[in-house]
Amino acid sequence: MVRAQEQPPDWRVVDARPSAAVAEVLERLLAPRVAEAARLDASFGRQVAQWLAATTRGGGRRLRSAFVWWGLRVACPAPPPGTVAAALTVGAAVELLQSCALVQDDVMDNSPVRRGQPALHVLLGSTRPVAAGPGALGFGQSAAVLAGDLAMVWAEDTFADAHPPPEVAAPVRRLWSVLRTEMIAGQYLDLAGQADASHSATHALRTAVLKSGRYSVARPLELGALLAAAPPEVCRVLRAAGGAAGLAFQLRDDLLAVWGDPARTGKPTGEDIREGKPTLLAALGFSRAAARPRGAALAVLRRCYGNPAAGPAELAAVREVLEETGARRDVEAHIARLVGRASAHVEALPEAPEARARLLALVRLAAGTVAPADAPPAPAPAHPRPARGGSGPGHAAPQAPGPVRPAGPQRPDPEDRTRPHARAAAPHGRRPLRPAAPTPPGTHPNPSPAEEPS
């Protein structure tokens, strides 16, 4: 809860640097939680809670909390102090949820690096020598899973401190529950796709939507709109914009995982290839390669994609196939279409032209079509190095569940089918929504996974 002596900043101040405003909320809320963890046990506080607080406060670009803020602002030109405080606290909760996702994703993928630093399970594993006894090999992974659980607990506690206006509290709480469940379902689909060696475009798009697209962009935008008590048609437009932008965000991340610069992404490239990630990029590559009369390209993908032992030569061969078959080109084209659709929805909103412009810039930043303009990247957090200690019980990394059979073709995001209506009603004296911009020539107005190039 925001105490009386901790007055929320004016919305104009937050507009200048939303990430800094959320950082202040995180600093205030996490300090007592770290202290509480240290009182329970010094090593738990130092090795888990302190690391979790540091990485949440200092890492990443805080895109998700920014989408909460600009979802609020495009729906409410001048939010009152109580709504400002609620939006910043909800943004902090979303950032803690992201910390949970990153920690547990690194465990499931056995990723050694995150944001240019050793991943938490690597750091924790280094505190227990192999000779420490049974379970020592799994200590880092097992303890990191607990750290992810702690991040989820802190996220829930922080959300409970938001205290949105009473008239919107119930729908905001429902959407927060939906957001968390969708994130977990998406991670499950990611694991299932790897276990099944799935190369289905439908499965890949569904995974992208649920694993990242909704909880990173669409739901934060919608949370901001709900906090502003936006009318239903504005919420629908923002939901549609967020659906398109969120899918573009994940598709860009898939490209960076194969061709990105580790110095910029903070993690090695090629891991998605070794792990056999069920991405649209891979699905298109396999489909195109299979359609060729000579099977050389398909043989490369079958031999190297999903091969944990793939070396630099094998990774380069996969990249060459994905380029040569046009898979990379078509994913880039789909990102451009999605950004165009999201931008058209945002431009149709009737209020706050300055906030609309900032939201448009954020959409393009998330999709990787523009560089950040308002602030330099946040510095990598100074992760506290866990001290060595005694052994503890551990277990193997989570096993992938059984096969998933999606129920029929799905659109990239079912909610993105909503289009702003040119003659929408304008309750409460608001101007009606402007019609969305026409679809650019040569693009399909509303592609489904089955309509993707293949």
Side-chain angles (χ1 to χ4, degrees):
M1 178 182 293
V2 178
R3 303 183 184 90
Q5 66 268 30
E6 294 166 344
Q7 292 297 323
D10 184 88
W11 60 266
R12 300 172 189 85
V13 175
V14 181
D15 272 5
R17 288 292 300 278
S19 63
V22 172
E24 290 179 6
V25 173
L26 286 168
E27 189 73 35
R28 184 176 72 248
L29 293 178
L30 291 181
R33 287 174 169 83
V34 172
E36 179 186 16
R39 283 194 296 272
L40 293 174
D41 180 80
S43 64
F44 173 67
R46 182 175 62 255
Q47 296 180 8
V48 175
Q50 187 179 344
W51 184 96
L52 184 60
T55 198
T56 305
R57 287 194 307 256
R61 297 176 292 177
R62 296 201 181 95
L63 290 176
R64 292 157 186 84
S65 54
F67 277 112
V68 173
W69 178 252
W70 294 114
L72 168 76
R73 286 283 289 108
V74 297
C76 185
T83 303
V84 170
L88 294 177
T89 306
V90 168
V94 172
E95 294 299 331
L96 280 162
L97 189 63
Q98 167 69 352
S99 293
C100 165
L102 292 181
V103 169
Q104 297 196 345
D105 189 61
D106 286 344
V107 171
M108 286 181 256
D109 292 343
N110 199 26
S111 299
V113 175
R114 172 66 65 177
R115 293 172 179 166
Q117 303 270 346
L120 179 59
H121 67 275
V122 174
L123 286 174
L124 291 170
S126 70
T127 70
R128 298 298 190 274
V130 175
L137 287 175
F139 172 78
Q141 292 93 331
S142 301
V145 168
L146 293 176
D149 292 343
L150 182 63
M152 181 72 85
V153 169
W154 284 359
E156 179 60 28
D157 290 346
T158 300
F159 182 86
D161 283 340
H163 301 292
E167 64 271 18
V168 301
V172 168
R173 158 58 66 180
R174 284 196 297 271
L175 187 60
W176 171 250
S177 177
V178 168
L179 180 156
R180 291 178 297 161
T181 304
E182 287 174 341
M183 182 192 77
I184 296 169
Q187 186 63 51
Y188 169 82
L189 289 178
D190 189 51
L191 289 172
Q194 289 176 244
D196 299 341
S198 171
H199 306 306
S200 159
T202 299
H203 183 88
L205 283 166
R206 191 64 179 164
T207 301
V209 166
L210 289 176
K211 182 184 176 185
S212 186
R214 285 191 184 167
Y215 104 87
S216 295
V217 180
R219 297 311 188 191
L221 258 183
E222 195 175 356
L223 279 170
L226 287 178
L227 287 167
E233 72 272 13
V234 171
C235 290
R236 284 195 297 269
V237 171
L238 283 175
R239 189 181 308 128
L247 180 55
F249 169 78
Q250 182 55 49
L251 295 182
R252 174 64 61 192
D253 194 61
D254 294 341
L255 291 174
L256 289 173
V258 177
W259 286 282
D261 178 3
R264 295 176 63 86
T265 64
K267 54 186 178 181
T269 55
E271 292 305 302
D272 277 16
I273 296 174
R274 292 190 179 98
E275 293 159 11
K277 286 287 184 179
T279 65
L280 178 62
L281 177 68
L284 293 177
F286 272 91
S287 176
R288 302 287 175 74
R292 298 197 165 183
R294 298 179 62 187
L298 184 59
V300 168
L301 294 180
R302 285 176 172 170
R303 184 177 72 252
C304 303
Y305 201 83
N307 176 7
E314 288 80 9
L315 297 180
V318 171
R319 293 186 184 104
E320 183 178 354
V321 169
L322 295 175
E323 291 264 19
E324 195 266 336
T325 57
R328 180 182 187 180
R329 178 197 64 222
D330 287 324
V331 172
E332 289 278 10
H334 194 39
I335 290 172
R337 288 196 299 271
L338 290 165
V339 171
R341 288 162 58 191
S343 299
H345 287 303
V346 173
E347 288 166 352
L349 292 168
E351 305 283 358
E354 292 184 8
R356 283 203 314 270
R358 293 292 294 274
L359 178 55
L360 284 169
L362 186 62
V363 165
R364 291 163 186 153
L365 172 61
T369 58
V370 68
D374 61 333
H383 298 327
R385 180 77 179 180
R388 289 187 174 272
S391 62
H395 61 266
Q399 296 296 309
V404 170
R405 297 177 181 174
Q410 302 268 357
R411 292 184 179 271
D413 187 343
E415 294 167 343
D416 196 31
R417 286 178 270 180
T418 304
R419 295 278 183 178
H421 197 285
R423 293 181 296 277
H428 313 300
R430 295 176 182 265
R431 294 189 290 111
L433 297 174
R434 297 191 296 272
T439 303
T443 63
H444 194 288
N446 196 22
S448 70
E451 296 162 345
E452 290 299 319
S454 61

